[in-house]
Amino acid sequence: MSSYQEKAHERLCRWVQRECRSLAEEDGGEDVDETLTRAMTALKHRPTLFKYCVEEVARTRHNALFRRFITALTKGGPGGVPKAMEHQQSDPVRFVGDMLAWLHQAVCGERELVGALLGGTDGGDDGADDGNDDQNIHGAGGNKNRVDETTETLHGPSSAVETSSPEAETNASEVLDRILDGIKRPFRVRVDQALTGQSGESEIVRYKLAGLFSFYGSILQKICGDGGSLVS
């Protein structure tokens, strides 16, 4: 029985990693598939495999958020709406304010996604799933039940199944901090440019910027926690 459970854990881990890679194509805040949340919860009984999946989440979202931020800075939204934020560089207060507003929205979305994956939040009402999950798990054949059966097997009575260890209870704030790490440098560079520009040398402009940082800093601190590197 233990060998079957081990194989099931490994198979579930591979599936979760594939699903986590697809998260790079989505904005933060999108609803997370309930089956993915259940699979992550099941893998907490195997701390090493769970850690691999958490690493995949952090890496994928880190890269995706960096690309989205650079795109928002240099290209803007689809069809140029909204405009690229760098078009406002001549107005340091508006430029920095736009970046901070974008960061606030992005951080909220990433926090929601990480919480859904690692915090055991509900992914939807029981029994309310449509047929799309079948396609997402094992391709066109549809095999959501096979994943459900796997998670049930993993929790079956056997001494080989570990209880969730402290190592598996990954701090969602730490994962969020790693995701946000990718946008710190480009953000800092743009702020430095705004401060060193001709308009940014005005005492009035610096005073307004200080107010923006204080306002958004308090908000982001509540979301990221006191130890968040983005806030510091």
Side-chain angles (χ1 to χ4, degrees):
M1 182 65 178
S2 62
S3 62
Y4 287 117
Q5 289 177 331
E6 191 64 32
K7 291 179 181 178
H9 273 115
E10 293 174 357
R11 178 182 177 187
L12 192 61
C13 178
R14 290 193 295 270
W15 178 80
V16 168
Q17 287 179 310
R18 288 196 301 270
E19 290 296 302
C20 288
R21 293 186 190 106
S22 69
L23 293 176
E25 302 172 1
E26 303 175 0
D27 290 342
E30 295 290 334
D31 292 336
V32 177
D33 185 358
E34 180 185 2
T35 307
L36 179 57
T37 300
R38 292 176 60 189
M40 290 288 287
T41 301
L43 285 173
K44 289 183 179 181
H45 294 268
R46 285 291 186 270
T48 300
L49 298 179
F50 180 72
K51 182 179 179 181
Y52 291 154
C53 294
V54 171
E55 293 285 342
E56 192 65 41
V57 171
R59 183 192 65 80
T60 300
R61 296 308 303 174
H62 173 282
N63 296 339
L65 187 62
F66 174 79
R67 290 193 299 269
R68 286 170 51 207
F69 186 48
I70 296 300
T71 299
L73 284 170
T74 60
K75 298 181 180 180
V81 180
K83 293 182 179 180
M85 289 186 284
E86 287 188 341
H87 287 173
Q88 307 297 335
Q89 279 186 316
S90 59
D91 184 350
V93 176
R94 181 172 180 180
F95 180 43
V96 174
D98 286 349
M99 286 194 294
L100 288 170
W102 190 96
L103 289 176
H104 174 223
Q105 183 177 9
V107 169
C108 288
E110 297 301 322
R111 177 70 185 186
E112 183 178 345
L113 186 145
V114 170
L117 286 175
L118 306 183
T121 57
D122 292 336
D125 295 333
D126 291 339
D129 296 321
D130 55 26
N132 294 333
D133 288 341
D134 295 343
Q135 302 272 339
N136 294 334
I137 297 172
H138 286 292
N143 259 317
K144 181 174 183 289
N145 289 336
R146 294 172 62 182
V147 174
D148 293 340
E149 291 170 1
T150 299
T151 56
E152 291 173 3
T153 301
L154 297 179
H155 295 291
S158 171
S159 59
V161 179
E162 306 166 5
T163 57
S164 182
S165 70
E167 291 79 4
E169 298 295 338
T170 304
N171 188 333
S173 295
E174 294 177 0
V175 177
L176 179 63
D177 198 46
R178 292 172 57 189
I179 293 173
L180 300 178
D181 185 68
I183 59 177
K184 289 191 300 184
R185 186 175 183 279
F187 174 68
R188 186 183 300 113
V189 168
R190 267 68 176 189
V191 171
D192 288 342
Q193 291 173 348
L195 291 174
T196 56
Q198 184 174 0
S199 300
E201 295 178 353
S202 166
E203 293 298 325
I204 296 178
V205 169
R206 289 176 179 261
Y207 177 78
K208 291 180 178 179
L209 290 176
L212 282 174
F213 285 125
S214 177
F215 173 72
Y216 279 102
S218 62
I219 295 177
L220 293 175
Q221 187 174 29
K222 294 177 182 179
I223 302 172
C224 302
D226 295 335
S229 61
L230 180 64
V231 177
S232 61

